[in-house]
Amino acid sequence: TDCVIARCGDGIPRQDIAVGQEGFEACDDGNENETDACLSTCQLARCGDGEVFAGVEVCDDGNGSNFDDCLDTCTPASCGDGFIHAGVEECDDGNDDDTDTCTNNCEKPVCGDGFVQAGEQCDDGNVSNSDGCLNTCVNNI
């Protein structure tokens, strides 16, 4: 009503009057805040846009990779999520079984880790050869 050319950021969502549908702006809240529901580009905030939507997303790195700090679900990568976080985890099978090919601390199993794996007779998690399990994971009979 003030004869100013409509623009993104003026607080008024523009519509395509000729077509009678919304189309130019998905939203326009009139601010530059990138952590709310409407970005300064007049697009709705969403996971994967590279901006962290406060109270909804914990992280948003703007990519679809699940092998970095932030998953494509906008949650931080963590041991047990089923994705190997490059440079941080050796493995991540996403389960809570310490006796398979990946332990719960996202490390590959080794003799001496305290968990009996396939091929081990025992694994007491220590380096003592004077107890019931040698440090080679063979029973000390």
Side-chain angles (χ1 to χ4, degrees):
T1 60
D2 58 2
C3 295
V4 176
I5 297 174
R7 64 175 174 68
C8 176
D10 62 11
I12 303 168
R14 260 177 47 192
Q15 294 181 334
D16 184 346
I17 296 172
V19 179
Q21 299 175 11
E22 292 184 50
F24 289 106
E25 300 173 336
C27 60
D28 191 334
D29 60 6
N31 68 46
E32 299 279 324
N33 183 354
E34 301 294 13
T35 65
D36 62 7
C38 185
L39 302 176
S40 63
T41 58
C42 294
Q43 298 300 311
L44 293 172
R46 62 176 177 71
C47 179
D49 61 18
E51 303 292 341
V52 177
F53 185 0
V56 176
E57 301 170 335
V58 177
C59 61
D60 190 333
D61 59 8
N63 68 46
S65 174
N66 284 321
F67 306 104
D68 56 9
D69 291 339
C70 185
L71 302 180
D72 65 3
T73 56
C74 294
T75 55
S78 63
C79 179
D81 59 23
F83 301 101
I84 299 172
H85 186 177
V88 177
E89 301 170 329
E90 293 178 11
C91 57
D92 191 331
D93 58 7
N95 67 41
D96 60 358
D97 184 359
D98 275 323
T99 63
D100 60 2
T101 59
C102 186
T103 63
N104 291 340
N105 58 1
C106 293
E107 294 175 350
K108 293 181 180 177
V110 295
C111 176
D113 61 12
F115 304 105
V116 179
Q117 308 292 332
E120 296 177 338
Q121 294 177 355
C122 59
D123 192 330
D124 60 6
N126 66 45
V127 293
S128 173
N129 277 323
S130 59
D131 56 9
C133 184
L134 299 175
N135 61 12
T136 57
C137 295
V138 175
N139 286 326
N140 188 9
I141 312 175

